[in-house]
Amino acid sequence: FHLQQTTMSFRPGGSRGGASQAPKGYIPGLGRGAAGFVTQSDIGPATGRPKSATADGAGGDDAAGAATSSGTGSRAAELRAAKLAMQKMQKAQSTAAAAAAPTPFGEAPAGYVAGAGRGFGGSTHTNNDGPTGSSGPAMEGSLFSGKDESQFDDDDDEADRIYNAIDERMSSKRRKHNNEGNNNSNNPSSSSAIGDQFRELKEKLADVTEDEWAAIPDVGDHSLRHKQKRREDVFTPLTDSLLESRSKLNADASAGGQNALAGTAQVMDGTATSTAGFRTNLSGLAEARSTVMSMSLDKMSADSASGQTTVDPKGYLTSLSSTKIASAADVGDVNKARLLLKSVRDTNPKHAPGWIAAARVEEAAGKTAQARKLIMEGCEVCPDSEDVWLESARLHSQDQAKTILAAAARRMPNAVKIYLRAADLEHHDSTKKAVLRKALEANPTSVTLWKAAIELEDADDARVLLSVAVEKIPHSVEMWLALARLETYDNARKVLNKARKHLPTERAVWIAAAKLEESQNHGEMVDRIIDKAVRSLDKHDAVVTRAQWLKEAEAAEASGAPLTSAAIVKCTVGRGVDEEDRQRTWADDANASLSRNAVSTARAILAHSLSSFPTKRSLWLQAVDLERNHGTPSSLDEVLAAASERLPRTEIFWLVRAKENWLAGEVDTSRNILTEAFKANPDSEPVWLAAVKLEWETGEIERARVLLSRARERAPTARIFMKSALLERECKHPDEAVDLLEQGLQKYPTFSKMYMMGGQICSEDLPKNKDSLDKARKFYQRGLQKCPNNVVLWCLASQLEENVADYGVGSASAGVTKARSLLELARLKNQKNPELWVEAIRLERRAGNDKLAISLMARALQEIPLSGLLLAENITTSPRVEQKSKSAAAIKKCPDDPRVITAVASLFAAERKNDKARKWFERAVVLDPDMGDSWAKLYAFELDAGTKDTQEKVKKRCISAEPTHGELWCKIVKSMSNRGKTVAQNLDAVAQSLRDKMRLN
C-alpha cells in the first residue's frame, strides 16, 4: 500500500477556530506524536544509495536526489536510501519548527547549554539543530537521532552483496529465457509441441490390424502406492462441541422437531425442505417408503416355499423391531469377505465352494437378489457340481428351484442328491414317486434312491420294489433284510437263503434268520443257525471278533430276541480266550453287559460260565445277585436251587433260598428247604439258627425251643446257648435264661456276650434289690477276669456301679466314685481305647463335673488325637462359640470318619443350614452304610426339614442297607421291647429318640 502525507485544510468560517491558513512552521500531527514519513511513491524509482551526505540538514535534498539518481538496482539499497531521505526530511522539518516557535523565556544566551545546570553533559557544538538534530557525542545512539552514510557497517555491505548476487542470478535467468524465445521464433521446428514430434508415428497407426491392436498388453499399475506398505487408518478425534451439536441435531430429528441438518432451512408447513441447490419433497419420501414396504412384502411372498405369503400379520411389527441393524464393523466384514471370495473366484473359477460361499455372504448381508445372481453364474461356470445346483435351488423360490433342479438333472443324470431334493420340493406323493422313479431309471444301483422310493409305498408296492431292488443291487444287505421282513415266514426263509448265497460273509443275514426262527418259537433252530453261521463265516475268512459278536448279542436282545442273544453268546463267548483267563474274562463281560442294561446277555454269559465252572462259588453269587436285582422270584429260586445242588455244603445258598421263600410267604417251602439243608449239613450252626429263627419269627416258640434243644445236643456252640437264653428271656423266663447261660459258660467261658447277657438279665429283668445287684456284679466280675480286653464289659460294669443307688445300696456319689475307679482300671489295661475315654467323660458330665470332663477330653485327645469318636464327642459337647473351630480341626484330622461328618452335619442342622446339613449327612451314610446312627440322624433331619418324598427315599435306602452298628442304634434295636421289629420300625424309633433328646436340650 502506498500512503501519501496529507494536510488538513482550514477553510474560512470552518470549525477550526476561524483560522484562514496554517500558522508558520506548522507540521500536521506533530502535536499528537505523528511523524511524517516518505513512501516509495514520494521518492519515485530508486536508483541506488547516495554517495555522500553531510552531517547536518543542509545537504538533505542533495542526498535524496543522489539516492534517486543512483543506478545500482538493489532492493536493500533502495529501501535504505528511502529511509535516509525520510530521516533527513524529518530533521529539516524539526529544525525549522524549532527556529520559528517563540519561547516564553526568550532567546538563550550565548554559550548556553541545555541541561548543563542539572548535570547533563551536553554536546560542545554551538549549532542550533534542536533536540533531534544534534549529531554530537551525547546524542549518538539516541532513539530519535538520524543515521547518515558513515553509520553503515560491514554487515550491511555484505547483505547488499548477497542481495545483488541474487538479483543478478534472477536477471540472468530472465535474459536466458528471453533469448530462447527469440531463437524459437526464428526456428519454427524447435518450438513445436511434443505431440507434433510423434506425428509420423501416429500416421503409421493406420496400418495396424485389429489382431495386432488386440495383442497390445495392458499397462499395469506400477505406481509406488502398491509397493509401499499400507499404513494403518488414522482417526482424528472430534471435538466435544461438534459431537454435542451433532447429538442435539440427531435428537431433534428423531423427536420430529423443526431442526434440520446444517445448511438446511425447513418451511413452516413441513411439506418440503430446501438445501443449498435442491429441494426435497417429504410427501415423495413417504411414497418411496410405501414402495419399499410393498417390495418387501412381494419379496416375502415370492420367497415362500408354498407360494403363499409367509408374513405373520400379528408378529410383523415385532419382527421389524427385532430386525438386526448392521453396524459399520459388520458391513466392513462383509466387504472384506466379498473381496476375498472374489479373489478366490477369479483365481479358480471352477472351485464350487467359492461360489457357494460368495452367495451365502450376500444372503447373510440381506442381498438375496445378488446371491441368486452369483449362484446362477456359478451354475454356468461349474455345471458339474451338484452342490452349486443345490445351493441355487435353495436360494430361489419353489417354482424356480424346480426348474433349476430339472436343468441340473439333465446336466448330471447320476446326481442322486439332485433327485432327492427335487422330490422334497414336491407336495404330493404321486409327484414324488414320479421323480424318484425317473431317478431310478438313471441310477438303478443307488441304495439311497431305492430307500426313498420304498418309504413312499405301502406294504404290497414296497414288496414289489424290494424284489426289483435286490435284483439290481444284490450286494445291499438292507434291501434283503427289508424284503424278508415284509414277506411271510416261508418266503422270508427263501429270501434269506438267496441273500446268504449272494452275501456269504455277512453275519447280519444269519442273525436275521435266527431271529425269524425265534419269532416262530423254534428255539432249537436258533442255536443251529448261529452255530452254522460261525462255521460258515470262518470258512469264508470273514473276520468277526469276539467283541463284535457280543455287540451283536446285545443288539439282538435290544430288538427283542433273547434266544438269539443267548445263542450268539454260547457260540462265541469263548473265542480267543485263554484257558486260565476264562473265568475272570467272562465275569468281567457279564458285568460290562449288565452296566449297559443287557440283562439277557449277562445272564447268558454267566450261564455259559457256570456250565464250564459249576463249582465256582463267586460265579454262583454273581448269578444270584443278578437274578435278585433284575430277575423274577422264580428265576432267583431256580438259580438258588441249582447253586444248592452244585454246592450242597455251602450253607448260604440254602439260607438265602429259605429266606426268600419265607419273605414270599412260603413258610412250608422254607421248612422243606431247611430240612434238606440239615441233611446236607447236619452240624451246621447257621442252618440250625436259621431254622430256629424261622419258627421264632412265625410265632412257633415251642418248635423253636425244641430246635434249640436239638441244636445244643448235635451242634453245641456258644451262639446256640446264647440264642437259647435269649429265647427264654424274651418269653419272660429269666431264671431259665440264667441257667442256660451258666451251662454255656461252663463250655465256653471266654464268650463275652453271655456274661453281658447274664448281667443285663440280673440288673434289668430281676427285681432291683441287693441280691440282683450282687448277681449282676458277679457276672461282670467273672467276665472281666476271663475277658479283660472287652471294652463293653468294662462300660456295663461301670454303669452298674454308677446306678447302685437305684438298688438301695450306697449313695450316688459313692457309685460314681466306684465307677470312676473301674474306668481308670480299664484304661490301664486297655491303653489308647477311645470308648473307655468317652465313657469316663460322659460319667463326669452325668455327675456334674464339667471341668473334670473337659480335662479328661484334653488328656484323651493328647493320647488319641486321631480318634473320630473322641473328636465327634468334643464337637457335640463343646460350647456353641467353639464348635465351628473344633469342627474344622476335626475334619482336618479325620476327613473320612462318619462320626465326625455326622457331628458336623448336626451342627449345620442346628444352625438351620439345611442344604449343607443334608449334604454332610449324605456323605456320612455313603462313607459307612452300616452305621445306623448316621441313618437315624439323617432321617430325623428330614423329618424336621425335609419333605415326604425325601423321607421315604431315606427310609428305603436305610432298609436296603440294613445297618447293624452304631452306639444309639444298637442300644435301641437290641432292647427287648424292640425285638422282632423291622429296619423301618427301628429307624423310626431311633429317630424319635433323637428328636426327643434335641427337644430336651
Side-chain angles (χ1 to χ4, degrees):
F1 298 98
H2 299 284
L3 303 177
Q4 295 182 353
Q5 183 179 355
T6 58
T7 60
M8 185 178 295
S9 63
F10 291 84
R11 296 186 301 273
S15 61
R16 294 294 179 180
S20 61
Q21 60 181 358
K24 184 179 180 180
Y26 171 75
I27 297 176
L30 185 60
R32 61 179 182 271
F37 58 92
V38 180
T39 63
Q40 183 69 35
S41 62
D42 297 331
I43 300 173
T47 57
R49 187 175 64 187
K51 297 299 182 180
S52 64
T54 60
D56 58 355
D61 296 336
D62 296 336
T68 57
S69 63
S70 178
T72 62
S74 173
R75 177 66 176 170
E78 293 174 359
L79 295 176
R80 194 157 49 248
K83 182 176 181 182
L84 183 60
M86 180 188 69
Q87 292 176 353
K88 290 185 177 299
M89 186 180 68
Q90 292 177 351
K91 184 177 181 181
Q93 292 176 352
S94 300
T95 304
T103 59
F105 303 101
E107 295 181 359
Y112 173 78
V113 179
R118 60 179 182 270
F120 177 72
S123 175
T124 59
H125 292 275
T126 59
N127 58 355
N128 192 18
D129 290 336
T132 60
S134 175
S135 60
M139 294 300 293
E140 288 186 4
S142 175
L143 181 63
F144 301 100
S145 64
K147 194 170 186 182
D148 56 9
E149 182 65 19
S150 62
Q151 291 175 308
F152 289 98
D153 53 8
D154 294 337
D155 292 337
D156 297 329
D157 294 336
E158 185 179 359
D160 291 341
R161 287 194 301 272
I162 293 173
Y163 278 108
N164 290 337
I166 294 173
D167 291 341
E168 182 64 26
R169 174 77 173 174
M170 298 301 295
S171 299
S172 64
K173 286 186 176 181
R174 285 193 295 271
R175 286 195 299 271
K176 183 179 180 181
H177 180 71
N178 293 334
N179 293 333
E180 289 178 357
N182 294 332
N183 293 334
N184 291 335
S185 63
N186 296 329
N187 188 7
S189 62
S190 61
S191 63
S192 61
I194 296 178
D196 297 337
Q197 298 178 10
F198 295 94
R199 184 176 294 109
E200 296 180 359
L201 297 176
K202 291 181 179 179
E203 290 176 355
K204 292 181 181 180
L205 292 176
D207 300 332
V208 177
T209 62
E210 293 183 0
D211 296 336
E212 293 176 345
W213 184 268
I216 296 174
D218 296 334
V219 179
D221 189 357
H222 300 285
S223 61
L224 188 60
R225 63 189 178 90
H226 290 289
K227 298 179 181 180
Q228 292 179 345
K229 184 179 179 181
R230 185 175 180 182
R231 296 184 299 176
E232 298 293 336
D233 295 336
V234 178
F235 298 97
T236 302
L238 299 177
T239 60
D240 294 340
S241 59
L242 181 58
L243 292 174
E244 184 178 0
S245 61
R246 175 57 62 184
S247 62
K248 183 177 180 181
L249 290 173
N250 292 337
D252 293 340
S254 62
Q258 298 297 326
N259 294 333
L261 294 177
T264 304
Q266 186 174 2
V267 182
M268 294 304 294
D269 58 1
T271 58
T273 59
S274 63
T275 59
F278 64 93
R279 291 177 60 86
T280 302
N281 191 357
L282 293 181
S283 60
L285 291 177
E287 295 176 358
R289 185 177 62 180
S290 301
T291 304
V292 172
M293 181 74 71
S294 61
M295 291 174 62
S296 300
L297 296 175
D298 295 340
K299 174 178 173 295
M300 291 179 182
S301 299
D303 291 341
S304 176
S306 61
Q308 298 178 357
T309 180
T310 59
V311 178
D312 183 9
K314 295 182 179 180
Y316 180 68
L317 295 178
T318 305
S319 62
L320 286 180
S321 62
S322 62
T323 302
K324 180 181 179 182
I325 305 300
S327 62
D330 296 337
V331 174
D333 293 340
V334 170
N335 292 333
K336 289 180 182 178
R338 287 172 179 160
L339 292 175
L340 178 62
L341 293 173
K342 185 177 185 302
S343 176
V344 171
R345 298 195 307 272
D346 294 342
T347 304
N348 188 7
K350 297 294 184 180
H351 187 59
W355 293 99
I356 297 173
R360 290 185 178 177
V361 167
E362 298 297 338
E363 182 186 11
K367 297 184 178 181
T368 308
Q370 183 65 20
R372 292 173 178 174
K373 181 179 179 182
L374 276 174
I375 202 63
M376 290 304 298
E377 186 177 353
C379 293
E380 295 177 0
V381 177
C382 305
D384 296 330
S385 175
E386 63 180 6
D387 293 333
V388 176
W389 290 101
L390 292 173
E391 184 68 15
S392 178
R394 186 184 69 82
L395 291 175
H396 286 79
S397 60
Q398 184 178 5
D399 295 336
Q400 294 175 342
K402 292 180 180 180
T403 304
I404 292 170
L405 292 175
R410 288 192 297 269
R411 176 70 183 181
M412 296 179 295
N414 296 326
V416 176
K417 293 182 180 180
I418 299 295
Y419 288 105
L420 293 177
R421 179 57 182 163
D424 292 338
L425 291 178
E426 301 294 339
H427 299 287
H428 301 286
D429 291 342
S430 58
T431 53
K432 288 184 179 182
K433 292 177 183 178
V435 172
L436 292 174
R437 288 177 181 175
K438 184 72 174 178
L440 287 172
E441 292 177 0
N443 302 275
T445 59
S446 175
V447 178
T448 306
L449 288 175
W450 280 107
K451 287 182 180 180
I454 292 169
E455 288 177 356
L456 296 175
E457 304 291 344
D458 54 9
D460 296 334
D461 294 336
R463 188 184 300 111
V464 174
L465 284 178
L466 285 171
S467 301
V468 179
V470 295
E471 294 178 359
K472 298 293 183 182
I473 43 175
H475 61 277
S476 176
V477 181
E478 297 176 349
M479 296 299 168
W480 287 106
L481 298 181
L483 179 59
R485 284 193 294 268
L486 293 177
E487 294 288 353
T488 60
Y489 171 68
D490 295 334
N491 292 335
R493 293 182 63 184
K494 295 178 181 178
V495 169
L496 291 176
N497 289 330
K498 291 181 181 179
R500 194 163 57 240
K501 292 179 182 179
H502 287 92
L503 301 169
T505 61
E506 185 58 53
R507 61 182 181 274
V509 178
W510 292 95
I511 295 174
K515 291 180 181 179
L516 178 64
E517 298 298 335
E518 183 177 358
S519 64
Q520 301 297 319
N521 297 324
H522 299 162
E524 297 179 357
M525 292 295 297
V526 174
D527 294 336
R528 292 174 57 187
I529 290 172
I530 295 299
D531 182 61
K532 187 176 180 181
V534 173
R535 289 187 283 103
S536 176
L537 292 175
D538 292 339
K539 181 179 178 181
H540 290 88
D541 297 332
V543 180
V544 184
T545 63
R546 175 174 170 277
Q548 290 176 335
W549 279 115
L550 291 179
K551 287 184 179 179
E552 293 290 348
E554 294 178 1
E557 179 186 352
S559 62
L563 295 180
T564 302
S565 175
I568 293 174
V569 170
K570 180 180 178 181
C571 296
T572 61
V573 74
R575 295 170 63 89
V577 182
D578 295 335
E579 186 73 21
E580 60 273 10
D581 296 334
R582 288 189 301 169
Q583 179 184 353
R584 178 182 56 80
T585 303
W586 290 341
D588 294 340
D589 292 338
N591 291 329
S593 298
L594 197 60
S595 65
R596 293 188 290 268
N597 295 325
V599 179
S600 298
T601 304
R603 185 182 288 114
I605 294 173
L606 288 175
H608 182 76
S609 302
L610 290 172
S611 63
S612 301
F613 303 98
T615 59
K616 292 296 181 179
R617 182 172 179 269
S618 59
L619 290 176
W620 283 109
L621 290 176
Q622 189 175 358
V624 170
D625 186 66
L626 184 145
E627 297 299 337
R628 178 182 292 165
N629 296 325
H630 303 282
T632 61
S634 60
S635 63
L636 176 60
D637 188 70
E638 291 176 0
V639 171
L640 288 171
S644 301
E645 183 180 356
R646 293 289 183 177
L647 301 172
R649 301 291 297 176
T650 305
E651 300 95 341
I652 185 172
F653 298 114
W654 296 103
L655 300 179
V656 171
R657 187 184 178 194
K659 182 179 179 180
E660 293 296 332
N661 283 273
W662 170 54
L663 293 176
E666 300 290 337
V667 179
D668 294 336
T669 305
S670 298
R671 289 195 181 105
N672 296 332
I673 293 171
L674 291 175
T675 302
E676 295 177 2
F678 280 127
K679 295 178 181 178
N681 304 279
D683 300 332
S684 175
E685 175 190 309
V687 176
W688 281 104
L689 292 179
V692 170
K693 184 177 180 180
L694 175 64
E695 303 298 340
W696 194 346
E697 296 293 338
T698 55
E700 300 291 339
I701 303 298
E702 290 298 329
R703 300 184 68 170
R705 186 179 286 114
V706 171
L707 286 174
L708 285 172
S709 177
R710 292 179 182 178
R712 290 196 299 271
E713 294 175 359
R714 297 183 180 182
T717 62
R719 293 191 66 200
I720 295 292
F721 281 97
M722 186 187 68
K723 292 292 183 181
S724 300
L726 185 61
L727 177 63
E728 298 300 333
R729 184 185 180 187
E730 186 175 346
C731 295
K732 306 299 182 179
H733 301 152
D735 295 333
E736 289 82 355
V738 171
D739 293 339
L740 289 172
L741 290 174
E742 291 291 348
Q743 295 176 15
L745 288 174
Q746 290 178 2
K747 294 185 178 181
Y748 307 99
T750 59
F751 191 69
S752 60
K753 288 188 177 181
M754 285 193 286
Y755 293 110
M756 297 177 197
M757 186 178 293
Q760 289 175 348
I761 292 173
C762 294
S763 61
E764 296 177 5
D765 297 341
L766 295 178
K768 289 187 176 184
N769 50 36
K770 189 176 182 301
D771 294 337
S772 60
L773 178 62
D774 294 337
K775 290 181 181 179
R777 279 177 176 173
K778 289 180 180 179
F779 269 106
Y780 290 142
Q781 289 173 0
R782 291 164 58 192
L784 292 176
Q785 291 175 0
K786 298 295 183 179
C787 307
N789 296 327
N790 190 282
V791 177
V792 179
L793 272 175
W794 286 103
C795 293
L796 289 174
S798 67
Q799 292 173 6
L800 178 65
E801 297 298 336
E802 182 185 1
N803 298 320
V804 292
D806 297 339
Y807 298 89
V809 179
S811 62
S813 59
V816 171
T817 303
K818 184 66 178 294
R820 186 183 298 117
S821 63
L822 276 175
L823 291 174
E824 289 177 356
L825 181 62
R827 292 200 301 274
L828 290 175
K829 293 186 177 182
N830 299 276
Q831 299 288 332
K832 296 183 179 181
N833 190 284
E835 287 81 4
L836 293 175
W837 281 105
V838 169
E839 184 62 28
I841 293 168
R842 291 176 179 174
L843 173 65
E844 300 300 337
R845 291 191 181 278
R846 289 192 296 266
N849 301 324
D850 292 339
K851 291 184 179 181
L852 184 57
I854 295 173
S855 177
L856 286 174
M857 177 63 73
R859 290 172 54 193
L861 290 175
Q862 288 179 355
E863 184 177 348
I864 317 171
L866 300 180
S867 172
L869 179 61
L870 283 173
L871 292 172
E873 184 71 17
N874 190 26
I875 294 172
T876 305
T877 59
S878 295
R880 183 176 294 273
V881 294
E882 300 178 2
Q883 285 181 338
K884 287 187 178 180
S885 60
K886 293 187 177 181
S887 298
I891 291 172
K892 289 182 180 179
K893 293 180 180 179
C894 299
D896 295 329
D897 192 284
R899 287 166 291 195
V900 174
I901 301 301
T902 304
V904 175
S906 300
L907 180 61
F908 284 131
E911 295 178 353
R912 301 300 180 185
K913 297 179 180 179
N914 296 335
D915 294 337
K916 288 186 177 181
R918 183 176 289 107
K919 179 180 178 181
W920 284 78
F921 277 128
E922 290 288 343
R923 182 181 173 187
V925 298
V926 169
L927 286 172
D928 190 3
D930 195 52
M931 182 65 67
D933 290 355
S934 301
W935 287 107
K937 291 180 180 180
L938 173 59
Y939 186 67
F941 167 75
E942 294 295 345
L943 289 175
D944 293 334
T947 61
K948 291 185 178 180
D949 293 338
T950 57
Q951 295 167 11
E952 291 298 327
K953 289 180 180 178
V954 171
K955 182 177 287 188
K956 289 180 180 179
R957 291 169 58 192
C958 181
I959 293 172
S960 62
E962 295 183 355
T964 57
H965 293 83
E967 181 182 1
L968 186 60
W969 180 270
C970 293
K971 181 179 179 180
I972 295 178
V973 169
K974 292 184 178 181
S975 176
M976 295 306 298
S977 59
N978 294 322
R979 286 286 303 171
K981 290 186 178 180
T982 62
V983 177
Q985 293 173 343
N986 291 328
L987 180 64
D988 291 331
V990 178
Q992 187 62 38
S993 175
L994 288 171
R995 297 176 70 187
D996 295 340
K997 185 177 179 181
M998 291 175 62
R999 292 192 187 98
L1000 292 175
N1001 294 334

